[in-house]
Amino acid sequence: MGDRPLARDAREAREARHHHGRRGKLSAAAEVPLLVEAEGPVRILRLNRPHRLNAVSLPMYEALEAELARIGADLETRVVIVTGAGRGFCSGADLKAHRDHEASLAERRAYVETSQRVFRALQTLPQPVVAAVNGHAIGAGCELALSCDFVIVAEEAKLRMPEVALGTFIGGGTAYTLRRRVGHARAVELILLGRYFTPEEAGAWGLANEVLPADEVLPAARRLAERLARNAPISMRLAKQLLDRAESADPEEALRLEAEALFTCMASEDWREGLEAFARKRDPVYRGE
């Protein structure tokens, strides 16, 4: 199908915010900030501000929010890949735009609330999300990547969360999720010092699944997506939900949630398809039903 611009979706979202008095002006309206490519059951979301190393903007967040909502309701989409156009993944907030435009309180609120919805949508999307970090991931870019289920990073990439050093603040729930993933001492180091860390360090700390040369990142993400797309969609959705709640659930609740998930799977056509495929020694064809 090729790349599909989301200018209309972003424009409609901006117009809706304008109607409610919350229109943002933190980047050029003429940009097409997100491209979507369909490859069978896989959707590739490509951040598309290469002239700014894909720095995030309100229109980009709006386009991401609209597309993630569409994908979440689409039974045909099994896996999502997030990557960047050009040589970078995402350089974080567009500091030049923030400096050049004195945003109103309503504009700031629209920007922050929309970004938070995007991070949470990535974290809770029914489908698995693969971050193909093809270049630098700084600030919000790093936090976008860490909101995905799988992270494949270019060995040339620079990673950093410098917000505290810049007088701003981290996003995406990172103050909570990073400590849970890497421990208190490492989270304090990365957030308060805002130092660069390497893709190899990210892999060692469990923040990245694979580190590859830049030109191999997207092909590897596609191969992973193809593998994931062959799994049972209902089972993957339930597994993501339980993993998201793992830290807050006590052991008894975890067992109850697992049992409910298993009952849901056992009542599905995919369960029967999996059993039949196993018995006949063939690959299953799941329909998400």
Side-chain angles (χ1 to χ4, degrees), residues 209-262:
N209 300 88
E210 198 168 1
V211 178
L212 297 169
D215 60 355
E216 296 180 22
V217 167
L218 187 55
R222 283 188 166 106
R223 290 193 297 271
L224 175 58
E226 289 169 2
R227 288 175 56 193
L228 290 166
R230 292 195 290 268
N231 288 342
I234 295 172
S235 300
M236 286 201 297
R237 181 180 71 243
L238 292 169
K240 280 198 62 172
Q241 289 175 359
L242 266 64
L243 286 166
D244 185 56
R245 298 178 63 177
E247 289 293 323
S248 61
D250 59 39
E252 289 75 17
E253 184 185 12
L255 288 173
R256 180 183 62 79
L257 293 171
E258 285 184 356
E260 290 179 359
L262 183 56

Side-chain angles (χ1 to χ4, degrees), residues 50-250:
H51 60 293
R52 300 291 299 152
L53 286 179
N54 301 316
V56 291
S57 62
L58 181 58
M60 179 184 284
Y61 279 136
E62 289 170 337
L64 277 166
E65 182 181 18
E67 187 62 24
L68 290 171
R70 213 172 359 253
I71 287 171
D74 179 14
L75 297 178
E76 299 302 315
T77 299
R78 301 290 178 87
V79 187
V80 176
I81 295 173
V82 180
T83 193
R87 60 188 178 89
F89 177 72
C90 177
S91 60
D94 191 335
L95 299 182
K96 182 178 185 300
H98 284 279
R99 184 192 63 203
D100 293 347
H101 173 71
E102 184 65 32
S104 67
L105 178 60
E107 289 171 338
R108 292 172 184 172
R109 187 173 297 278
Y111 180 87
V112 171
E113 292 179 352
T114 306
S115 70
Q116 288 183 332
R117 290 195 298 269
V118 167
F119 285 119
R120 194 59 184 149
L122 283 170
Q123 295 159 6
T124 61
L125 198 70
Q127 300 91 336
V129 185
V130 181
V133 183
N134 55 306
H136 298 345
I138 309 297
C142 189
E143 293 143 16
L144 276 172
L146 296 182
S147 293
C148 299
D149 301 297
F150 297 87
V151 181
I152 302 175
V153 188
E155 58 190 16
E156 302 91 339
K158 291 183 177 181
L159 310 172
R160 187 187 181 199
M161 288 172 281
E163 288 94 336
V164 171
L166 295 172
T168 180
F169 204 69
I170 51 178
T174 303
Y176 171 75
T177 60
L178 189 65
R179 185 178 185 275
R180 185 176 68 182
R181 294 173 69 175
V182 302
H184 180 77
R186 187 74 68 193
V188 166
E189 176 186 351
L190 295 179
I191 292 174
L192 296 192
L193 290 179
R195 75 167 179 88
Y196 285 104
F197 58 100
T198 67
E200 289 75 16
E201 286 177 317
W205 299 335
L207 297 177
N209 300 88
E210 198 168 1
V211 178
L212 297 169
D215 60 355
E216 296 180 22
V217 167
L218 187 55
R222 283 188 166 106
R223 290 193 297 271
L224 175 58
E226 289 169 2
R227 288 175 56 193
L228 290 166
R230 292 195 290 268
N231 288 342
I234 295 172
S235 300
M236 286 201 297
R237 181 180 71 243
L238 292 169
K240 280 198 62 172
Q241 289 175 359
L242 266 64
L243 286 166
D244 185 56
R245 298 178 63 177
E247 289 293 323
S248 61
D250 59 39

